[in-house]
Amino acid sequence: SAWAVKFDPDTCMIIAAIFLLGSAVFTEKVKAHANHDQEHAAKEAKRASNAAIAAAEDVALEAEVAKAAANEATDDAIARLATAFEASEKQTHTIDLYAAALDVLGKGIIVTNAQQVVLHVNRTWTAITGHTLADVVGNPGGSRCLQGPKTDAAACARMGAAIRAGQTFSGTVLNYKKDGSTFWNEVTIVPVRICGRVEQFIGTVDDVTEKVELEEANRLAEAARHRAEIARHNREMAQRGSGFLK
C-alpha cells in the first residue's frame, strides 16, 4: 500500500512500551476513580445514616421531654390521691377527682389494701389491660393478673420486696393484657399510710411500648453504625496493605 509505513524492531518496541505505559496509567486512573466513587458512596451512606439517627434521637428527646412533664403531673396526682386516702377514707369525692385526673393523663391506677386485695381500678387501667372492674375487684394479688411467661421474674421479686417493706417501687416490666398480648408497663406502686401504718397501695399502669421499642430501634441503629464503621476501617486498612504490597 502507498500508505504503509515500516518500522524497525527498536521503534516497534518503543511504540509497544508507550502503549503499555498508557494502558497502565489509564487502568490506575480507572481504579482511582472507582475508589473515589466507593468512598463518596460510603460517605453519603454514613451521612444518611447519621441524619436518620439524629432525627430519631430528636424525636426520642421530644418524647422524653413530654414524658417528663406528664410524669411530673402524674406524680403530683398520685401524691394527692394518697393524701386523700390518708386524710379520710370517706373523702370519696376527692379521691374520685384525683382518679379522674390520672385518667386524663392516660395513667391507669389500681388500689389495693395492705394484703394486696384489689379495691378499685380506674377506666384507663381497664382500657390498657383489657380486664374489667368485675374481673379484678376483690381478687388477691394486686396486678399479678398482668404477669406472664416473659415477665421479668427479678423485677417481680423486687416489686414484691418493696411492697412487703412498705416502700415505693418503680420499674418497667413486660406485662400481659387479658387477650394475651404483651405491652411494656411503666409501673409505680406507692404505699398509703393511715396513722403511720400501711393500709393501702396505689399502683399505676402506663403503656410505654412505643418508647421502649424506639429505644431498642435506636440501640440497634447505633450498633449497626458501629459495625459499619469497623467494616469501613478494615476495608481501608486492607486497601492500604495491598497498596504497600504492590
Side-chain angles (χ1 to χ4, degrees), residues 20-36 243 246:
L20 291 174
L21 179 61
S23 177
V25 170
F26 177 76
T27 300
E28 288 301 318
K29 286 184 177 181
V30 170
K31 288 182 179 179
H33 184 71
N35 289 337
H36 178 269
K246 292 179 180 178

Side-chain angles (χ1 to χ4, degrees), residues 116-141:
Q116 288 290 286
V117 176
V118 179
L119 305 177
H120 176 73
V121 293
N122 69 345
R123 287 173 296 180
T124 303
W125 191 94
T126 62
I128 292 174
T129 67
H131 292 279
T132 65
L133 188 66
D135 289 338
V136 294
V137 169
N139 291 343

